[in-house]
Amino acid sequence: MTKFIRFLILPAVGLFATAADAPSLAALGQLQPGKWTLTSREDGVPTRSICLGDPRVLLHLRQPVTASCSRFVITNDPNVSTVHYTCPGSGSGRTTIRVETPRLAQVNTQGLVNGTPFDISLEARRTGECTSVSMR
């Protein structure tokens, strides 16, 4: 599924330009920084490793985020965060992240990117320390 694979290689650039734009999400605050492996629940989709510094990157896996994106927090519980976002001219989506441990989370996201629907379900697991200097 080509559109699904694209999410795996699309970077989340410019995520939450300022602190005022960034919702404070209790569940995401539990996640440890480091190297994380994202494993799709769909057969045949490759895993992706990211160096996670800011766990809010997991909210926008399918499209780059700009300062013009608006976010609405639907659920802000200690173990579950759900956010709806709209990025004018690009699309919108809704992401739910369920934190099982500080090293394991379930991510479900769906929405539209440039008029094309997506529905992604994956496991995010911390697999070690980052080897590079830059973290997202």
Side-chain angles (χ1 to χ4, degrees):
M1 179 183 255
T2 312
K3 67 181 179 184
F4 190 80
I5 293 173
R6 277 185 278 162
F7 111 86
L8 293 169
I9 59 174
L10 186 65
V13 178
L15 181 65
F16 299 110
T18 66
D21 293 336
S24 176
L25 300 169
L28 296 184
Q30 294 184 49
L31 298 177
Q32 294 178 356
K35 181 180 175 186
W36 285 70
T37 300
L38 308 178
T39 305
S40 170
R41 303 224 185 286
E42 188 171 323
D43 289 337
V45 176
T47 60
R48 172 186 176 201
S49 291
I50 61 171
C51 189
L52 187 67
D54 185 347
R56 292 172 295 182
V57 168
L58 298 173
L59 294 171
H60 295 269
L61 290 173
R62 182 57 181 94
Q63 59 189 198
V65 180
T66 65
S68 63
C69 294
S70 64
R71 291 159 246 359
F72 178 76
V73 177
I74 298 168
T75 306
N76 190 9
D77 293 335
N79 296 320
V80 177
S81 294
T82 301
V83 173
H84 178 272
Y85 61 89
T86 302
C87 301
S90 174
S92 62
R94 176 182 169 141
T95 302
T96 298
I97 299 175
R98 182 173 45 88
V99 176
E100 294 182 18
T101 73
R103 302 168 62 91
L104 177 64
Q106 305 302 318
V107 181
N108 294 295
T109 185
Q110 61 187 35
L112 294 171
V113 173
N114 298 321
T116 303
F118 66 90
D119 188 359
I120 301 165
S121 181
L122 58 87
E123 177 181 273
R125 182 178 297 271
R126 188 177 186 281
T127 53
E129 299 298 324
C130 294
T131 56
S132 66
V133 179
S134 65
M135 293 179 76
R136 288 194 184 144

